[in-house]
Amino acid sequence: MIKLTAQDIIELFNQRSSTRYYDSSKKISDEDFHAILECARLSPSSVGSEPWKILVIQNKALRDKIKPFSWGMMNQLDNCSHMVVLLAKKNARYDSPFFVDVMTRKGLTEEQQQQALAKYKTLQENDMKLLESDRTLFDWCSKQTYIALANMLTGAAAMGIDSCPIEGFHYDLMNQTLAEEGLFDPNEYGVSVAATFGYRARDIAKKSRKTMDEIVTWVE
């Protein structure tokens, strides 16, 4: 197992910056981008649900179609090497076929499945109150996609690849456009977040960050 030092990790995060301008002449290799996708696939999620799908949008015509309502990546769509949209599962109730698949993937016995269902029900119904609305349940799944997203960004940075997470677009139009392309069933999934990847075309000024004391409270 490769072990990075604490300083290696901090330096990695110091080097990573949200990239708005990419060098269009530089493309990520298939091998490297597959590794970035693996970072998402291997990411943790609540109760191991993995409630995500990933669209890798390389088609120029489709990128041009979403550009008018994607103000947060208008320039990036022309110049980035790769662009992805992370989808979150809809209707991921504890008693849905989706969760049967989750338990099957875990290899649970019938008895273990019943015990797990009871825990999932308590989690969704009482502990987190996720069943109050379809939106509440979808937002819970959407949170999980951000874990996968963060791992993709960090994994890319570790390979010297730049990236930018993006929420700057019209969500209704993005959902409509991608669903009409037949890329997903809007009854089953919805757009959560997007990201671009490539190699920066210019230096990026460092942003001022909050201090550790401003964000961390120790309770001992």
Side-chain angles (χ1 to χ4, degrees), residues 177-195:
T177 301
L178 298 182
E180 287 178 350
E181 291 287 323
L183 298 178
F184 67 91
D185 181 349
N187 294 313
E188 296 294 329
Y189 284 88
V191 173
S192 176
V193 65

Side-chain angles (χ1 to χ4, degrees), residues 65-84:
K65 187 177 291 188
I66 68 177
K67 192 186 300 183
F69 53 81
S70 299
W71 54 270
M73 54 180 163
M74 193 169 295
N75 176 71
Q76 299 171 49
L77 285 170
D78 288 330
N79 299 317
C80 68
S81 173
H82 289 68
M83 180 256 185
V84 302

Side-chain angles (χ1 to χ4, degrees), residues 88-134:
K89 184 73 176 73
K90 292 183 177 180
N91 312 310
R93 287 177 52 96
Y94 70 92
D95 54 357
S96 67
F98 175 77
F99 263 88
V100 173
D101 290 341
V102 170
M103 292 185 294
T104 300
R105 192 167 62 246
K106 291 182 176 182
L108 302 183
T109 65
E110 181 64 32
E111 181 180 356
Q112 290 172 329
Q113 287 190 26
Q114 293 306 313
Q115 294 172 348
L117 276 177
K119 290 180 180 179
Y120 300 157
K121 179 180 180 181
T122 298
L123 171 71
Q124 291 191 343
E125 200 169 66
N126 301 319
D127 297 345
M128 297 188 72
K129 301 188 185 306
L130 299 177
L131 305 184
E132 293 182 343
S133 70
D134 291 342

